């Protein structure tokens, strides 16, 4: 009996020693089993992107960059599924740029995508920082690596704030026709009254901004597209594309009405942004109705697939 006990004890010690030999400790002093370390070894190298932030080029992990873009481009108060859709669009936009040019440096302004650092967000969010951080981090992590493709390539994932009830075809705004950026119904934006607003100009200020050397307005003629946006506008027989007119006068959208009264020009706009791709407020309204991020993306982008890096 004594011999059996000694043999059992020796076998037990050998098993313990063997198990410890198969364990490793990571940088945080956490014990990893062989299986866990094997998974770590097979982890994919993070995708890095170059970002110009405050006139300094930084190399950021793609997911870190996406967090900074979502935090800047969409209100943290939006529904989680809308934030997820925004994360996928932001990630796709970056992948599209580096797929076109691997040395591309992303701007941190709206010329590419707005991006905020953590320091900026601490100042911006103040006492809501922790809650907002956790919410947007969740949206990014739960869509990690997911991006939108057309013909197995990242798309130009255009998005904007809010529509006038419809999005626009890419060729009507950006000139270039892209099959996945087609006009779709976005009546969800009505929930936010299309963010209508007005802007006032004196006659001289209005004409000066348009580069017209006249002292008064003789006539205004407007030609509209199928969804109410201004395609062409004539001011005193000077012709402007609606998109150019919007830029010159810093208008919120190209769906506008002009009133000329008492030596004052009042321009009333409906919607905010260029109108191509995903409406952010539309995405939020869809999320409130129970749609998930995949539903949202497949509504605003045509004939696409969501893939994983």
């Amino acid at each position: 009996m004594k011999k059996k006990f000694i043999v059992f004890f020796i076998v037990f010690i050998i098993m313990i020693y063997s198990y410890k030999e198969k364990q490793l400790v990571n940088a945080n002093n956490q014990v990893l089993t062989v299986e866990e370390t094997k998974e770590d070894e097979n982890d994919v190298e993070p995708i890095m992107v170059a970002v110009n932030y405050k006139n300094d080029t930084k190399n950021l992990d793609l997911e870190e960059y996406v967090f900074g873009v979502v935090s800047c481009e969409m209100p943290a108060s939006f529904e989680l599924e809308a934030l997820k859709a925004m994360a996928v669009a932001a990630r796709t936009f970056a992948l599209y740029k580096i797929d076109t040019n691997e040395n591309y440096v992303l701007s941190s302004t709206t010329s590419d995508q707005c991006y905020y650092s953590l320091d900026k967000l601490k100042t911006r969010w103040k006492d809501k920082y922790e809650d907002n951080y956790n919410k947007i981090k969740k949206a990014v992590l739960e869509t990690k690596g997911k991006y939108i493709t057309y013909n197995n390539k990242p798309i130009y994932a255009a998005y904007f704030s809010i529509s006038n009830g419809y999005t626009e075809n890419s060729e009507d705004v950006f000139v270039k026709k892209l099959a996945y950026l087609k006009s779709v119904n976005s009546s969800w934006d009505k929930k936010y009254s299309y963010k209508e607003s007005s802007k006032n100009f004196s006659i001289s200020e209005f004409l000066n901004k348009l580069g017209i050397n006249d002292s008064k307005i003789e006539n205004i003629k407007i030609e509209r597209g199928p969804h109410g946006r201004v395609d062409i506008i004539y001011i005193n027989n000077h012709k402007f594309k609606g998109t150019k007119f919007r830029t010159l006068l810093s208008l919120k959208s190209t769906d506008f009405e002009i009133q000329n009264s008492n030596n004052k020009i009042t321009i009333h706009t409906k919607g905010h942004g260029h109108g191509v791709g995903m409406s952010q407020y539309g995405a939020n309204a869809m999320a409130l109705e129970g749609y998930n991020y995949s539903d949202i993306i497949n509504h605003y982008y045509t004939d696409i697939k969501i893939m994983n890096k």
Side-chain angles (χ1 to χ4, degrees):
M1 189 73 182
K2 189 174 181 182
K3 287 182 179 180
K4 286 183 179 180
F5 176 80
I6 293 171
V7 170
F8 175 80
F9 181 77
I10 293 172
V11 171
F12 178 75
I13 294 297
I14 291 171
M15 288 175 64
I16 293 294
Y17 179 80
S18 176
Y19 177 71
K20 287 187 175 180
E21 281 290 300
K22 289 181 181 179
Q23 291 181 317
L24 294 173
V25 177
N26 70 6
N28 296 318
N29 289 321
Q30 296 170 316
V31 175
L32 301 176
T33 66
V34 171
E35 288 73 22
E36 287 172 329
T37 56
K38 192 176 292 183
E39 286 177 2
D40 286 348
E41 288 168 2
N42 291 333
D43 278 350
V44 178
E45 283 291 318
I47 298 171
M48 305 300 290
V49 292
V51 182
N52 184 282
Y53 185 68
K54 294 184 176 180
N55 296 318
D56 182 28
T57 299
K58 300 178 180 294
N59 289 312
L60 301 176
D61 181 299
L62 176 61
E63 301 304 318
E64 178 187 349
Y65 168 72
V66 170
F67 174 89
V69 172
V70 177
S71 301
C72 183
E73 291 280 6
M74 183 175 270
S77 59
F78 274 20
E79 294 294 297
L80 182 63
E81 292 302 314
L83 291 166
K84 286 183 183 180
M86 184 67 242
V88 175
R91 186 180 296 109
T92 304
F93 185 93
L95 290 172
Y96 172 88
K97 288 291 186 176
I98 62 177
D99 184 65
T100 306
N101 176 6
E102 63 180 9
N103 297 315
Y104 189 82
V105 178
L106 289 154
S107 167
S108 58
T109 70
T110 52
S111 60
D112 276 329
Q113 300 186 111
C114 175
Y115 166 87
Y116 282 159
S117 67
L118 291 182
D119 286 342
K120 173 71 176 179
L121 292 172
K122 286 174 183 176
T123 302
R124 186 187 188 203
W125 287 336
K126 298 178 181 176
D127 59 336
K128 293 183 178 180
Y129 175 79
E130 188 173 345
D131 288 343
N132 289 348
Y133 175 91
N134 289 333
K135 186 177 181 182
I136 293 177
K137 195 71 174 177
K138 181 179 175 67
V140 174
L141 286 174
E142 291 187 2
T143 62
K144 183 178 180 181
K146 295 190 181 298
Y147 67 108
I148 312 163
T149 68
Y150 183 83
N151 288 339
N152 296 319
K153 284 188 166 289
I155 70 167
Y156 180 76
Y159 55 86
F160 61 99
S161 182
I162 188 169
S163 79
N164 66 347
Y166 288 89
T167 68
E168 294 298 305
N169 296 314
S170 63
E171 63 269 26
D172 295 330
V173 178
F174 300 148
V175 179
K176 186 176 181 180
K177 183 176 182 177
L178 296 169
Y180 48 81
L181 291 177
K182 291 182 179 178
S183 175
V184 298
N185 184 299
S186 189
S187 55
W188 292 280
D189 294 336
K190 185 177 182 179
K191 179 180 176 66
Y192 305 98
S193 301
Y194 305 117
K195 293 287 183 180
E196 295 185 36
S197 62
S198 295
K199 195 168 185 178
N200 297 314
F201 302 90
S202 67
I203 298 295
S204 59
E205 180 187 16
F206 177 76
L207 293 171
N208 183 58
K209 284 181 177 293
L210 296 175
I212 298 174
N213 295 318
D214 296 337
S215 58
K216 61 181 180 177
I217 296 174
E218 300 288 350
N219 58 74
I220 298 175
K221 180 184 175 183
I222 292 176
E223 296 176 3
R224 296 183 183 274
H227 302 126
R229 291 177 180 268
V230 174
D231 184 26
I232 302 291
I233 181 168
Y234 298 87
I235 308 291
N236 291 3
N237 299 316
H238 292 266
K239 180 181 177 181
F240 300 90
K241 279 285 292 179
T243 49
K244 181 65 175 178
F245 187 86
R246 177 197 172 209
T247 299
L248 291 171
L249 295 176
S250 301
L251 302 178
K252 289 189 174 181
S253 84
T254 54
D255 185 348
F256 56 82
E257 300 282 350
I258 297 181
Q259 182 180 4
N260 180 8
S261 177
N262 299 321
N263 289 318
K264 184 176 74 173
I265 293 290
T266 299
I267 303 180
H268 187 79
T269 57
K270 182 187 287 187
H272 189 183
H274 51 62
V276 179
M278 183 178 72
S279 163
Q280 294 171 314
Y281 275 86
N284 195 52
M286 287 183 72
L288 284 166
E289 290 186 11
Y291 292 96
N292 64 33
Y293 79 90
S294 179
D295 297 327
I296 295 167
I297 288 167
N298 277 284
H299 175 73
Y300 283 110
Y301 303 105
T302 303
D303 296 332
I304 54 84
K305 290 182 181 179
I306 299 175
M307 298 180 69
N308 199 58
K309 272 289 182 188

